[in-house]
Each structure stands twice: as structure tokens, then as C-alpha cells.
Amino acid sequence: MPGLVNFRPLGGVVVLFGIVRPCTHRLGDGLKAQWMAHLCGLCLALRGDHGQFARVVTNYDGLIISVLTEAQAPSSPGRRRTAGPCPLRGMRTASVARGEGARLAAAVSLVLASAKVRDHVVDGDGLLGRRPVAVAARRVARSWDKAGARTGSDVGFDTAVLLDAVERQAGVEALAGPGTSLLAVTEPTETATAAAFAHTAVLAGRPGNMEPLAEAGRLFGRLAHLLDAVEDREADAASGAWNPLTATGTSLTEARRLADDALHGIRLALRDAEFTDGKLAHVLLAHELRRSVDRAFGSESCGHEHTVTAHQGGGFGPPPSQQGGPYGSQNPYGGGDPYGGGNPYGGEVPPGGPQGPGGPGGPGGFGGGPAFEPQPPKPGKRGFWAGCAVAIGLCCTCKVCCADEYEGPWSRKKREGCCNNCDCDGGCCGICECCSCCDCGL
């Protein structure tokens, strides 16, 4: 999987930078393959048009542009190609998305990434506070602006609407204060995403979808801005950075209401659009976006994350009534000895006797029974630097996240990928617990 860069905004326009992060186990094999095809397609479109370095702007949400375009377009054999081995896919080949949808996603990602770089330069974040680094970063941002404009022009999309939104954002924030509507602050973001979503209908040859997809994009932009503000609220307060919730005096309750309204509006807009195959688009923009909102507000966690709870008395683990076996503290035989109080071996051969288990004549002993095989010595731990090298390899090949089993980089103990034990209930469509929650009919 490509390395994803989330350009965290500090009071800037927020679009398409990683709010939809689906658990691949919830997607199932079919939709997971499609999702990865679009993600890798975006990465390769950036490399093909703008060179290797441009791949750093690859992001989760940018691929939604590619997904929407393909979901509306008629099926054709040319919309996929086989990509060569990539270290980020564990040196495996893959079927990846190609075409105008991936290029539009690349153009949008480049322009918005350039805006984020300039935003960080203005705020003097980290190394960008040093003049030589800031100068180099501005040059990169300008080159990304031009590159995005070229690619956008090739697919008929004017990226000026994105740049205008970025420029207006600073003025909107300067005028915002207590009592200002939060939607006034999110408007530039909404305008930018609405334009990008609507253009997917143009590329797919479905002009009737422009209006509903523009509405879906507008609400998606609102959610992106809201969720980023919620997630950064405490950090911004500690650092003194500008935050739309704090500046306008908007409570978390009101922010959640606006987020829920946006989710409902996106689902209604998707119903009004016509798709050739809209299942992946629906899953990302309806179900996974709902999980993103829950995650930001702390109201739900992914199904494969297990929690440890403390019981009365300060202990951890199963409650006392369940300790000692599945029957708790009660004897399943009604409190009596199932052997009638006698020796289960009939009182003749004690367990540790010559013929009992573990005795010299019993199983595993030296009196004719099969001897137990000696256990091989456990591998020693790796040194610090060797472990670091292995850890980098595990991260680059996504084994830490997705592998069924991998060897710990330092301890060499067998571990499971963090998404391996996902206990998501596939439900009626393999995606969510019950698709009747939005009448999607899947």
C-alpha cells in the first residue's frame, strides 16, 4: 500500500486528506481489490504524469474521485491494467485503475497538497520555519500547482476553483468569531469538493449526475472540515492554533448534529445519482464515512479492536464468575465428584506412578511409551539496528497491519496483523451489520 501523507491543516482548507479509512476486512475480497486498484491507480497516475516525488501526495480520500468516475462509467476492459511489483505491495503485481478518473484524482490531490505546504510554511511548522527549507517548500508547492493545473486541463477540469477556495479560506477565518456560523467557515472547502465530485459525472458521460454529486461533494467537504476541527481541537488549544470550533464557539454537540445531517444528505444525494456499479462508492461514502464520524467523536471503535476492562477490586481480565473455566465457580456435576470421590485411575495406578502419565512406564517415559520430542531452541532476539531494519520492511510491506502472522522485529515472537482478528459482522451485504439502516438495498 502506498505511503499515505496526511497534510494536517492549521486553519486552512481541508479536502481529501484521509478521513475515510476503511478496514479492509469489512470490505471483503471483492471490494478490497477494487479499493486497492484505485489507491494504486492514483499513486501511479501521479508518478506517470509528474514523477516519483509526486507520489507523496497519495491519500485515502483522493481515490474517491477515481471510484466515483468508474462507478458511473460503462464497463470496459481498458479501465484496468497490470502494474509491476512494488515494495509497498510486498513486491507483488496488481490490477490498478487507469484513465481520466485517476488523473482527475491526481490533479485534485496535487493542488490541495500544494496549499497545505504553503499553509505550513506560513505557520513556520517544524523545519519549514527555517528559511532555506521554506524556500524549497514554496518551489515544490508552485510546481505542484502547475502540475495539477496541467493534468486538470487534460481531463477538462479547471483547478482554479480549488485555488480560489484556498485563497478565500484565510479571509473567511479572519472574519470569523463567536456567533459566526460554522458553515460559513466550511464554505470554501465545500465549494472545492463539490466541483471535483461533479466533474466525475462529466468524465463518465452522465451529465444528469452533476447536481446530486455536487451536493454529495459539498457535504463531504463539510464533513472533512468538521472532523478535522474535532480531532485537532485539543491540540490546537494547547498550541494556540486557530480552530473553527473554538473560534466560532461551536459545541461538540452542535458539530455532531451538523456531521449527522451531512451524512444523511450524502446518502440522499447518492440515491439521486445513476451508477453502473456504485457499490464501492456507496460503501465508502455512506458506511465508512459514518464510521469516520463515530471515530472522530469517540462514539465507536473498529470491530477488531479488543478492550480490557477492570473489574471490581481492580483486577483485569474475565470477571471472577468466569474465572477457572466456562462454568465459573460452580461445578457442572452439581457439586459432587464425577468419580464418586475415588481415584479416576481406579486407585491402582496413581498419575505419577510407574505406569501412569509421566511415569517411567507410561506415555512419554522411557519404559516403552513414545518419548516426547525435545523442543527446538527459541531464536534469539535481534539487536536494535537489525530490528529497526526488519521493522521498516514490515511497515513498507503492510505486514504489521494485514499479515495473518509475522515475526516481531526485535523479539522474533509470532504476532498477528492488527487487522487480522477483525470480527466485523458481514451482515446481508458483507459490509455492515444491516443495510436497512440507509435502505441501500445491498
Side-chain angles (χ1 to χ4, degrees), residues 3-24:
L4 303 177
V5 177
N6 187 358
F7 294 88
R8 302 298 294 175
L10 296 176
V13 65
V14 187
V15 191
L16 304 180
F17 286 109
I19 65 170
V20 180
R21 303 189 292 272
C23 173
T24 56

Side-chain angles (χ1 to χ4, degrees), residues 224-277:
H225 208 136
L226 280 173
L227 299 190
D228 186 83
V230 170
E231 292 176 346
D232 288 352
R233 189 170 64 102
E234 294 183 1
D236 288 345
S239 64
W242 195 92
N243 184 282
L245 298 180
T246 305
T248 60
T250 304
S251 66
L252 286 179
T253 301
E254 174 64 10
R256 181 60 193 253
R257 185 189 68 80
L258 292 173
D260 288 339
D261 286 348
L263 282 171
H264 183 63
I266 289 173
R267 287 177 169 174
L268 293 177
L270 292 178
R271 287 184 191 177
D272 294 336
E274 296 182 2
F275 295 101
T276 303
D277 180 5

Side-chain angles (χ1 to χ4, degrees), residues 203-431:
L203 296 181
R206 289 187 183 265
N209 284 350
M210 290 184 64
E211 185 175 348
L213 290 184
E215 176 68 4
R218 182 179 68 82
L219 295 173
F220 182 87
R222 178 182 300 179
L223 270 177
H225 208 136
L226 280 173
L227 299 190
D228 186 83
V230 170
E231 292 176 346
D232 288 352
R233 189 170 64 102
E234 294 183 1
D236 288 345
S239 64
W242 195 92
N243 184 282
L245 298 180
T246 305
T248 60
T250 304
S251 66
L252 286 179
T253 301
E254 174 64 10
R256 181 60 193 253
R257 185 189 68 80
L258 292 173
D260 288 339
D261 286 348
L263 282 171
H264 183 63
I266 289 173
R267 287 177 169 174
L268 293 177
L270 292 178
R271 287 184 191 177
D272 294 336
E274 296 182 2
F275 295 101
T276 303
D277 180 5
K279 187 172 184 180
L280 179 59
H282 173 85
V283 167
L284 295 178
L285 290 172
H287 300 287
E288 293 301 334
L289 199 53
R290 159 64 69 182
R291 290 185 172 94
S292 298
V293 172
D294 290 336
R295 183 170 56 243
F297 286 91
S299 57
E300 190 180 58
S301 62
C302 182
H304 61 259
E305 293 175 355
H306 303 287
T307 58
V308 179
T309 57
H311 307 298
Q312 186 174 4
F316 288 84
S321 62
Q322 296 180 6
Q323 294 178 2
Y327 304 102
S329 59
Q330 298 184 2
N331 192 318
Y333 302 102
D337 192 330
Y339 302 105
N343 193 320
Y345 295 93
E348 299 178 358
V349 182
Q355 304 299 322
F366 51 83
F372 291 109
E373 295 291 334
Q375 294 295 320
K378 295 182 178 180
K381 296 182 179 180
R382 290 189 180 93
F384 176 76
W385 294 112
C388 288
V390 174
I392 292 172
L394 291 171
C395 292
C396 289
T397 56
C398 294
K399 288 187 176 181
V400 172
C401 177
C402 303
D404 292 335
E405 187 179 79
Y406 68 93
E407 192 178 75
W410 289 279
S411 67
R412 306 189 75 158
K413 293 180 180 179
K414 296 297 182 182
R415 303 182 184 277
E416 293 181 341
C418 59
C419 288
N420 183 56
N421 286 329
C422 186
D423 58 2
C424 308
D425 183 3
C428 57
C429 65
I431 299 300

